[in-house]
Amino acid sequence: MNADDLKKLWDHVLELVGSEAGVGKSSYAMWFKPTEAVRFKDNYLYIKTTSDFACEWIDDQYGDLIKNILFNLTGQDIIPVFIYNDTFEKDSAQERQNTQVEVSQKESEPIDHGLNPRYTFDSFVVGKSNSFAHAACFAVAEAPAHAYNPLFMYGGVGLGKTHLMQAIGHFVIENHPEMKIMYVSAEKFTNDMINSIRHNKMEHFRNKYRTVDLLLVDDIQFLTGKEGTQEEFFHTFNALYEANKQIVICSDRLPKEIATLEDRLRSRFEWGLTTDIQPPDLETRIAILKKKASSEDIEVPGDVLLFIAKQIRSNIRELEGALIRITAYSSLHNRPIDVELAAEALKDILPVQNRQISVELIQKVVAEHYNLNVSDMKSRKRTRSIAFPRQIAMYLSRELTDLSLPKIGEEFGGRDHTTVIHACDKISESLKQDAELEENIRKISDKIQSI
């Protein structure tokens, strides 16, 4: 796509964005008017903005809208990537001069591989909920195909799986420049395959995916029900594994829980290491917000960070999006950031996020899950069939409510706070070793938060 076509496409996108009911004139003028499409490569459209903050804001608030508009205009799954630097101008100058400056090559590589430049190990906040996954990813990055192969990561939406996966890619590019890497979503893999079949280019498709040293595949659950794509991915997996190449896969669930996934693929996904990422605890959420504020050079009072962290508990993407929303609200209204302003800025999303979860509700859902009576949660019975679910309910009460430990103990038949501490510690330790328990608690938690 030449420069004129690129400009026409983006102008058309901007025209449609401006006509959307949810995009006000002031928002359009501030965020979209100064933007410019600077490159189209491998189905990624790179859009230059006025700041790193603008990159985050547009991507979080309007990324899906722009992606849908691009699909409607072109019929292709074009992914918008928002940037703030002069990398493309440098690349273009070097291409014209045919120089091979190593530093410049390294600067352009993340863009060539479709990696988000912000998704590095340095920018990832490590906490109890993700420390094992982080350690596994770093081990793979340091020694591809020697540590864990394949590495399979799973967890809910917005918890950092893509960040860690792309961090592996950045680390390998920086420390193993001779290695050929590829980051791709399962959806893009499927679309590439369909287009290759349509244009009789399957040999090119296979060479493209089977000659890399590191294959990073996101959202593998997208292959559900796609028998032809599963067949092709099976052979791609085999070719890379047998050639001792590293494979990293991400999903929103365990391999055994991906519906209609062929058994032979499922078994291969389990050959290496399977690790998960859990929703962050309060301390980690605050650390994530602090790092985000620091990276954007934004002064945010501690009580505001605590307010955000308490309201948004399960999704890092929404957590950071809330901070961006508050900062933008402060800028637009020329007001200092405080808890009152934060509450105003988030009023549209807090009714959903800030449901009042009670211990009684937690007890009810846990009891239903384990086929017990709610009264068992408060009883003095100590059989494992009752005591263990009760400990799970105490653990979830600590995670999902703001109640003190003594108060939680009172809700469980007047138990001492040390009993609650013991229960929480026991479940936390069990979660590190028991994937099935981990999945059960995730399901219970999701159900509680959906009621």
Side-chain angles (χ1 to χ4, degrees):
M1 188 180 295
N2 61 40
D4 288 340
D5 291 338
L6 202 59
K7 185 178 185 305
K8 288 176 183 176
L9 173 61
W10 187 240
D11 286 345
H12 203 167
V13 170
L14 291 178
E15 181 182 346
L16 293 174
V17 168
S19 66
E20 283 287 326
V23 183
K25 289 184 179 179
S26 60
S27 293
Y28 179 85
M30 175 175 285
W31 305 114
F32 291 101
K33 195 172 181 180
T35 60
E36 176 189 3
V38 292
R39 175 180 278 191
F40 178 75
K41 187 169 184 178
D42 297 332
N43 270 38
Y44 288 90
L45 178 64
Y46 296 92
I47 301 117
K48 193 171 182 179
T49 67
T50 56
S51 67
D52 285 330
F53 177 75
C55 293
E56 291 277 351
W57 175 255
I58 298 172
D59 193 27
D60 285 337
Q61 300 298 317
Y62 302 105
D64 290 340
L65 170 64
I66 293 171
K67 187 176 180 182
N68 290 335
I69 290 174
L70 286 167
F71 180 80
N72 291 334
L73 289 175
T74 67
Q76 300 178 51
D77 287 313
I78 296 175
I79 300 173
V81 178
F82 302 96
I83 59 158
Y84 172 59
N85 55 43
D86 59 354
T87 301
F88 295 113
E89 287 82 351
K90 290 179 181 177
D91 285 351
S92 298
Q94 290 203 347
E95 287 171 3
R96 289 193 297 270
Q97 296 169 14
N98 292 319
T99 59
Q100 301 296 321
V101 181
E102 183 178 354
V103 173
S104 298
Q105 285 180 333
K106 284 188 176 182
E107 288 178 355
S108 68
E109 278 179 324
I111 295 169
D112 291 339
H113 293 90
L115 301 177
N116 188 323
R118 296 187 292 272
Y119 288 170
T120 64
F121 284 118
D122 287 340
S123 64
F124 189 83
V125 177
V126 182
K128 290 189 294 185
S129 60
N130 58 32
S131 58
F132 185 71
H134 174 269
C137 288
F138 196 77
V140 165
E142 285 191 308
H146 293 288
Y148 310 110
N149 196 26
L151 175 62
F152 189 102
M153 274 191 296
Y154 72 96
V157 175
L159 296 183
K161 301 185 301 297
T162 299
H163 188 143
L164 279 177
M165 173 179 272
Q166 293 199 18
I168 294 173
H170 283 302
F171 189 94
V172 170
I173 287 169
E174 182 70 25
N175 295 279
H176 306 281
E178 75 285 355
M179 295 185 72
K180 182 179 179 182
I181 80 160
M182 179 176 291
Y183 167 78
V184 65
S185 67
E187 181 179 9
K188 188 174 188 304
F189 181 90
T190 301
N191 291 337
D192 281 356
M193 179 183 144
I194 291 170
N195 289 331
S196 298
I197 293 172
R198 184 182 301 158
H199 297 102
N200 197 28
K201 292 184 177 180
M202 280 304 291
E203 183 177 353
H204 172 76
F205 171 85
R206 287 166 181 151
N207 286 336
K208 175 182 175 181
Y209 282 99
R210 299 183 189 183
T211 58
V212 298
D213 298 296
L214 169 62
L215 179 62
L216 308 165
V217 185
D218 213 346
D219 292 327
I220 198 69
Q221 72 275 1
F222 185 81
L223 298 186
T224 298
K226 298 175 176 64
E227 295 181 5
T229 309
Q230 288 188 32
E231 175 78 18
E232 189 61 38
F233 189 76
F234 171 79
H235 293 299
T236 299
F237 184 103
N238 281 349
L240 292 172
Y241 188 84
E242 290 169 4
N244 198 34
K245 306 302 182 183
Q246 179 69 51
I247 305 162
V248 181
I249 300 168
C250 278
S251 174
D252 63 355
R253 67 204 76 167
L254 282 162
K256 65 182 180 182
E257 294 183 349
I258 301 177
T260 70
L261 185 68
E262 291 185 10
D263 288 340
R264 58 181 181 169
L265 262 182
R266 186 178 291 109
S267 67
R268 278 161 175 74
F269 291 168
E270 295 172 343
W271 277 355
L273 177 67
T274 299
T275 182
D276 77 311
I277 299 181
Q278 290 290 317
D281 57 22
L282 179 63
E283 291 78 10
T284 305
R285 296 197 298 272
I286 293 172
I288 289 168
L289 290 169
K290 283 182 176 178
K291 189 150 195 169
K292 182 69 175 175
S294 175
S295 69
E296 299 292 346
D297 197 23
I298 302 168
E299 289 286 340
V300 184
D303 58 345
V304 175
L305 297 179
L306 180 61
F307 173 79
I308 301 170
K310 282 190 172 183
Q311 307 308 316
I312 301 174
R313 295 179 169 140
S314 60
N315 191 311
I316 295 171
R317 197 174 298 157
E318 291 178 1
L319 191 69
E320 294 184 337
L323 179 61
I324 293 171
R325 187 184 184 107
I326 289 168
T327 307
Y329 193 87
S330 168
S331 176
L332 287 170
H333 293 273
N334 195 27
R335 288 171 53 190
I337 297 175
D338 55 25
V339 173
E340 182 181 356
L341 178 134
E344 287 180 27
L346 301 180
K347 64 183 179 181
D348 293 336
I349 62 173
L350 287 188
V352 176
Q353 292 288 347
N354 196 26
R355 293 188 182 93
Q356 291 300 315
I357 296 174
S358 65
V359 173
E360 183 181 2
L361 173 61
I362 293 170
Q363 291 172 340
K364 181 175 180 292
V365 175
V366 172
E368 287 176 353
H369 185 86
Y370 288 99
N371 296 316
L372 300 173
N373 296 318
V374 175
S375 59
D376 292 327
M377 296 286 108
K378 303 178 181 182
S379 73
R380 293 291 168 179
K381 297 176 183 177
R382 295 186 178 182
T383 58
R384 177 173 170 78
S385 61
I386 293 175
F388 194 63
R390 184 191 296 132
Q391 289 172 333
I392 290 173
M394 289 181 180
Y395 170 83
L396 289 172
S397 296
R398 179 73 178 92
E399 292 294 313
L400 300 179
T401 77
D402 295 325
L403 296 180
S404 65
L405 293 174
K407 182 61 178 174
I408 292 173
E410 288 177 18
E411 297 288 334
F412 285 85
R415 284 175 166 80
D416 188 79
H417 74 281
T418 57
T419 304
V420 180
I421 293 173
H422 171 73
C424 293
D425 289 345
K426 181 176 180 179
I427 298 301
S428 295
E429 286 301 312
S430 298
L431 284 172
K432 296 176 183 178
Q433 305 165 6
D434 191 336
E436 185 177 351
L437 172 63
E438 198 173 301
E439 189 60 21
N440 281 334
I441 289 181
R442 184 184 68 80
K443 288 178 179 177
I444 293 169
S445 179
D446 288 346
K447 185 174 181 179
I448 291 168
Q449 295 182 75
S450 69
I451 294 175

